[in-house]
Amino acid sequence: MASTTPIIHTHAYPTAASDEVDKAIQQGQEYELFSYWRSTASWRVRIALAFKNIPHRIHPINLLKNEQQSEEYKKIHPLAEIPALKLTDGRTLTQSSAIIEYLEETHSFPSLLPLDAYKRAQVRAIVGTIVSDIHPIQNLRVQKKYSEDPDQRAAWAQYWISLGFDALEQMLAPLAGKYSVGDDVTMADVCLVPQVYNAVRWKVDMTKYPTIVRVCENLSVLPAFIAAQPSNQPDAPVDA
Ligand SMILES: N[C@@H](CCC(=O)N[C@@H](CS)C(=O)NCC(=O)O)C(=O)O
């Protein structure tokens, strides 16, 4: 049975930690995350923030009301998407993978990257497969452009997610331990869990992916993953 105790890495990947950022956080300031409860890209950042115990508040952006398209928000994110992270000094960051890498460099304990360079590259390959290859093709704006028919949209999402998951299952099989790459939580896991939620939402047949399913089950009991899940977000509907 999966343990409820999170794996905390005992090492820090060598980085140029930003004292300024950490000082402001230590003095009680917090980051502001522009997020939507069901957004998988926002969810990745929520997991990283929770895993690293970084104080932050959620600024909900309702995608169904097109709030990402407001002129005010587009000053923060010119591509009109979430997430975006406002730092304590008012500067903002966009792109979930860039944000997570920033958090890793500025808050290196607990680490989301393995010490071994080959494994780090594997983690980033999994991240890239999800963030760059699988997710963008089934994003809301792509779906809207593709078709107005819900059945066509579902078939489209299932096709692209399955194509990506066939590859991910093959990638994970030799790498996975308790989690995607070995027995420590990494950025690969941070991206995997939201993408699996998305796959289930689009009714992808998950029986073809035993490693992905097993790893996700192990991750789903960890406190950071529970805190970040859609139903625990302040903007989630009560029946989520
Ligand atoms: N590459 C971006 C993707 C961000 C993204 O696609 N966000 C979605 C929500 S998961 C979004 O804001 N979609 C708005 C839209 O489609 O209009 C990242 O990783 O941050």
Side-chain angles (χ1 to χ4, degrees), residues 2-230:
S3 158
T4 52
T5 310
I7 299 291
I8 305 295
H9 292 227
T10 51
H11 67 269
Y13 172 60
T15 58
S18 161
D19 291 340
E20 289 308 310
V21 174
D22 284 345
K23 232 181 274 165
I25 292 283
Q26 279 158 14
Q27 285 165 358
Q29 294 188 46
E30 53 186 11
Y31 295 151
E32 186 175 350
L33 179 67
F34 295 84
S35 166
Y36 176 60
W37 67 285
R38 214 157 62 173
S39 149
T40 52
S42 307
W43 187 354
R44 298 169 195 146
V45 178
R46 296 199 302 253
I47 297 170
L49 286 165
F51 187 75
K52 289 174 175 288
N53 284 311
I54 301 172
H56 62 282
R57 61 180 177 279
I58 299 286
H59 183 134
I61 297 289
N62 191 329
L63 295 186
L64 298 184
K65 292 186 181 162
N66 258 335
E67 288 176 358
Q68 74 278 21
Q69 295 289 350
S70 76
E71 288 311 313
E72 197 188 344
Y73 184 67
K74 280 202 279 188
K75 285 182 196 146
I76 293 170
H77 201 317
L79 201 50
E81 56 185 24
I82 46 172
L85 186 71
K86 190 183 265 187
L87 304 178
T88 56
D89 61 7
R91 290 180 299 169
T92 50
L93 294 171
T94 62
Q95 293 296 336
S96 60
S97 52
I99 296 171
I100 293 165
E101 292 276 358
Y102 174 86
L103 296 176
E104 177 69 14
E105 290 182 15
T106 54
H107 302 78
S108 41
F109 290 103
S111 176
L112 282 167
L113 284 173
L115 271 178
D116 177 79
Y118 176 79
K119 287 187 182 164
R120 273 205 302 282
Q122 296 299 335
V123 166
R124 289 184 168 120
I126 294 166
V127 169
T129 303
I130 295 169
V131 171
S132 306
D133 293 342
I134 301 177
H135 175 257
I137 325 176
Q138 34 104 150
N139 197 3
L140 181 62
R141 61 172 173 244
V142 175
Q143 291 274 11
K144 277 183 185 165
K145 185 82 181 164
Y146 168 60
S147 171
E148 292 193 351
D149 175 6
D151 292 338
Q152 278 199 342
R153 283 189 183 182
W156 170 274
Q158 281 164 11
Y159 176 81
W160 290 112
I161 296 171
S162 301
L163 193 89
F165 274 19
D166 288 351
L168 268 187
E169 179 68 22
Q170 197 181 323
M171 290 164 82
L172 256 57
L175 293 170
K178 202 166 170 188
Y179 306 122
S180 297
V181 179
D183 292 328
D184 288 326
V185 174
T186 65
M187 293 177 188
D189 301 307
V190 162
C191 296
L192 185 69
V193 166
Q195 189 55 57
V196 168
Y197 169 93
N198 215 351
V200 171
R201 201 177 140 219
W202 285 111
K203 299 191 170 46
V204 169
D205 174 11
M206 292 302 294
T207 60
K208 292 190 294 173
Y209 311 115
T211 316
I212 294 177
V213 169
R214 178 179 63 75
V215 164
C216 270
E217 278 171 6
N218 290 340
L219 290 162
S220 68
V221 296
L222 302 182
F225 287 74
I226 293 171
Q229 73 192 22

